[in-house]
Amino acid sequence: MSTDRRRVLGWLGATTALVALSGPGRALARPAPPPARPNIVYIMADDLGYADLSATGSHAIRTPAIDSLGRDGIRLTQGYASTPICSPTRTALLTGCYAQRFAIGIEEPLGPGAPPHIGVPLNRPTIASVLRDQGYHTKLIGKWHLGEPPEHGPLQHGYDEFLGVVEGAADYFRHHMVMGGKDVGIGLAQNNAPEQREGYLTDLFGDEAVRTIESAGDKPFFLSLHFNAPHWPWEGREDAAAAKTLPNSFHYEGGNLAKYKEMVEAMDQNVAKVLAALERTGKADNTIVVFTSDNGGERFSETWPFIGHKGEVLEGGIRVPILMRWPGHIAPGTLSDQVMASMDFLPTFLTMVGGNVAKAGKFDGADLSAQLTGKAASVPRTLFWRFKANEQAAVRQGDWKYVKIGGKEHLYNLAEDEHERAERAAAEPAKLAELKGLWDGWNAQMLPYRVDGYSEDVRKAYADRY
């Protein structure tokens, strides 16, 4: 008998035996291939107000690309930043925990007066490291603001690659913070070293994201795209000449509603490029795409129907858009009242890609994957905020919210009054005391503020505050 014939008969015999084991009249069941793990593109704006998207009520700004994520997926009406300012919220996003558990998370925000060598502890699991442990390629494009490389850059906290600005802001053309007319800090960096490139930062980050998607192979990727837009300085694509003469990046003397519109719409155009790259490469159907902001709006933002701004625990300072698309898993056009905060993305993403949250570490954030994909109803949350400037504290428990600001305490029912005007403290003293007690218990578990620690006071820049 030939060798080939023996191989065929051996295969037929093995197949017959397997069919026999499956029982009479039953076809042999072949195991289905495991589903491909989804890519993740997490897009975060900087200082974008809740109502700065056309989908959330902007009077002037048009954001069709960002809006499409809600049209093709889910939009959360009760999304929150974990803090009312940038680097602490980024700490919460990175760690899946309240920012105030870490020394860097009580710098409001991280600045030149912070202790040296500050950063998230190097042994702490992060949103990037837990996904990398699941076999993901991880990359951060855009703003970091959580310490300096090579000690505390993105590569030291779970990212395989980094291209972005290290500090809390950068001129859109000079790619550095500007103080006294001079470029300061590291500015734009690639991995652990300063990087020289030309171009408008919003476009530069969008183009890098497109290249990353187009060059990705079969390995799943986690791409954090953290635009610095629409953070100051107030510069559009045509302002390169003006940028050369800027005295400082805070740009107190500049900006207007028209310029702000231009900056947000430039960001939306880059989101459109990213979505087009996913379609062009055949990755769109297996990619989770999220858009949100790091805190509430500043200076030229719209926050209606909420009051307050960045740097305040009022809803306008912490309520942010959250839109998410995942074809085949999230029903198009879903509008959700699920309360979700920045620190929830780590456990939620980890579950979505098939990881085990309990094995990955201990987190304050909640796994909301079932709520986002429609497998479970919305769940009530109890969330806490604090801010050193103006002695601020807040608790949200279900529909109730306790607020302390400027030495005064308030109680609101957000289901009845999302504008935080109908004062309920006198009518509900027991609820006020309950929520205040919850905040005291939570605060006792967090790190105390440094006596000389920085906390940004919005009263210094806004004529209508206090």
Side-chain angles (χ1 to χ4, degrees):
M1 186 183 296
S2 71
T3 301
D4 288 344
R5 180 170 172 76
R6 274 198 293 269
R7 286 176 179 160
V8 170
L9 289 175
W11 179 84
L12 288 171
T15 302
T16 302
L18 286 171
V19 171
L21 286 171
S22 69
R26 290 156 133 187
L28 178 64
R30 295 184 178 179
R37 288 169 296 172
N39 305 304
I40 302 173
V41 177
Y42 177 87
I43 306 171
M44 185 162 66
D46 196 353
D47 293 356
L48 186 83
Y50 177 82
D52 283 334
L53 305 177
S54 42
T56 54
S58 175
H59 288 87
I61 300 170
R62 293 295 169 258
T63 52
I66 298 168
D67 298 344
S68 75
L69 299 176
R71 181 196 66 215
D72 298 337
I74 189 171
R75 179 166 69 85
L76 279 68
T77 59
Q78 302 195 74
Y80 283 97
S82 286
T83 81
I85 206 159
C86 44
S87 45
T89 291
R90 293 162 197 273
T91 300
L93 170 69
L94 189 72
T95 63
C97 293
Y98 282 109
Q100 295 85 1
R101 293 192 183 278
F102 309 98
I104 192 168
I106 59 174
E107 302 296 321
E108 297 176 340
L110 180 65
H117 314 296
I118 196 168
V120 169
L122 294 173
N123 62 352
R124 173 73 209 178
T126 69
I127 194 170
S129 72
V130 300
L131 290 170
R132 189 167 66 181
D133 290 345
Q134 295 294 312
Y136 277 68
H137 182 78
T138 59
K139 183 169 182 176
L140 173 63
I141 300 171
K143 178 175 168 177
W144 173 237
H145 204 190
L146 289 176
E148 293 194 1
E151 185 176 6
H152 279 296
L155 269 60
Q156 288 73 53
H157 292 284
Y159 287 99
D160 295 312
E161 294 183 75
F162 169 56
L163 177 74
V165 292
V166 172
E167 291 84 18
D171 185 272
Y172 286 79
F173 297 95
R174 297 164 69 164
H175 304 168
H176 282 81
M177 277 284 288
V178 178
M179 301 295 292
K182 297 180 180 179
D183 295 347
V184 298
I186 294 173
L188 185 67
Q190 183 167 21
N191 296 332
N192 287 326
E195 173 77 358
Q196 294 293 326
R197 297 198 185 187
E198 298 295 324
Y200 185 65
L201 271 182
T202 306
D203 293 333
L204 191 154
F205 294 152
D207 290 343
E208 182 71 13
V210 168
R211 282 191 292 270
T212 300
I213 292 166
E214 290 179 337
S215 63
D218 295 333
K219 187 174 184 178
F221 60 81
F222 170 54
L223 173 59
S224 288
L225 176 55
H226 298 182
F227 287 107
N228 62 316
H231 194 288
W232 43 260
W234 315 108
E235 296 172 345
R237 289 180 173 128
E238 307 304 318
D239 294 324
K244 294 178 181 179
T245 64
L246 200 68
N248 70 76
S249 291
F250 295 103
H251 208 185
Y252 290 122
E253 73 285 2
N256 52 49
L257 294 177
K259 184 60 61 178
Y260 187 78
K261 167 184 165 73
E262 183 181 340
M263 295 168 74
V264 175
E265 291 186 351
M267 178 173 60
D268 184 74
Q269 291 156 16
N270 278 277
V271 172
K273 291 192 301 191
V274 170
L275 299 181
L278 291 171
E279 293 286 349
R280 191 165 56 250
T281 57
K283 293 176 170 40
D285 287 344
N286 192 39
T287 300
I288 300 165
V289 184
V290 176
F291 180 88
T292 188
S293 181
D294 64 342
N295 45 248
E298 185 189 27
R299 297 195 194 177
F300 302 110
S301 293
E302 280 195 87
T303 61
W304 184 264
F306 311 115
I307 60 169
H309 295 277
K310 168 186 175 181
E312 296 177 322
V313 299
L314 299 165
E315 291 292 288
I318 55 178
R319 189 83 71 104
V320 295
I322 298 180
L323 303 92
M324 183 183 298
R325 184 185 81 180
W326 188 13
H329 297 267
I330 296 175
T334 301
L335 195 65
S336 174
D337 63 356
Q338 177 61 61
V339 173
M340 185 177 192
S342 314
M343 64 184 177
D344 298 328
F345 284 107
L346 189 159
T348 298
F349 285 160
L350 187 54
T351 299
M352 285 176 162
V353 306
N356 187 312
V357 176
K359 288 184 179 180
K362 186 176 180 181
F363 309 103
D364 296 314
D367 168 17
L368 298 174
S369 56
Q371 285 70 33
L372 295 173
T373 56
K375 296 177 181 177
S378 297
V379 292
R381 303 291 302 282
T382 301
L383 295 174
F384 302 90
W385 292 266
R386 76 180 192 191
F387 203 70
K388 185 180 179 184
N390 304 305
E391 304 175 70
Q392 297 183 63
V395 182
R396 173 158 185 181
Q397 183 186 58
D399 293 332
W400 288 100
K401 184 179 177 186
Y402 162 78
V403 175
K404 180 183 178 183
I405 186 168
K408 297 180 180 179
E409 294 180 318
H410 310 273
L411 181 68
Y412 304 107
N413 186 314
L414 295 180
E416 298 175 356
D417 166 40
E418 57 194 348
H419 200 58
E420 293 176 294
R421 286 289 191 251
E423 179 64 69
R424 301 292 298 163
E428 303 279 352
K431 177 59 68 174
L432 178 72
E434 177 191 356
L435 296 186
K436 182 179 178 181
L438 287 176
W439 188 88
D440 288 339
W442 168 81
N443 188 52
Q445 301 173 49
M446 302 297 116
L447 294 178
Y449 285 116
R450 294 191 296 115
V451 174
D452 57 347
Y454 179 71
S455 185
E456 187 172 309
D457 187 349
V458 298
R459 296 179 303 173
K460 296 179 179 178
Y462 299 169
D464 61 336
R465 310 311 292 170
Y466 306 99

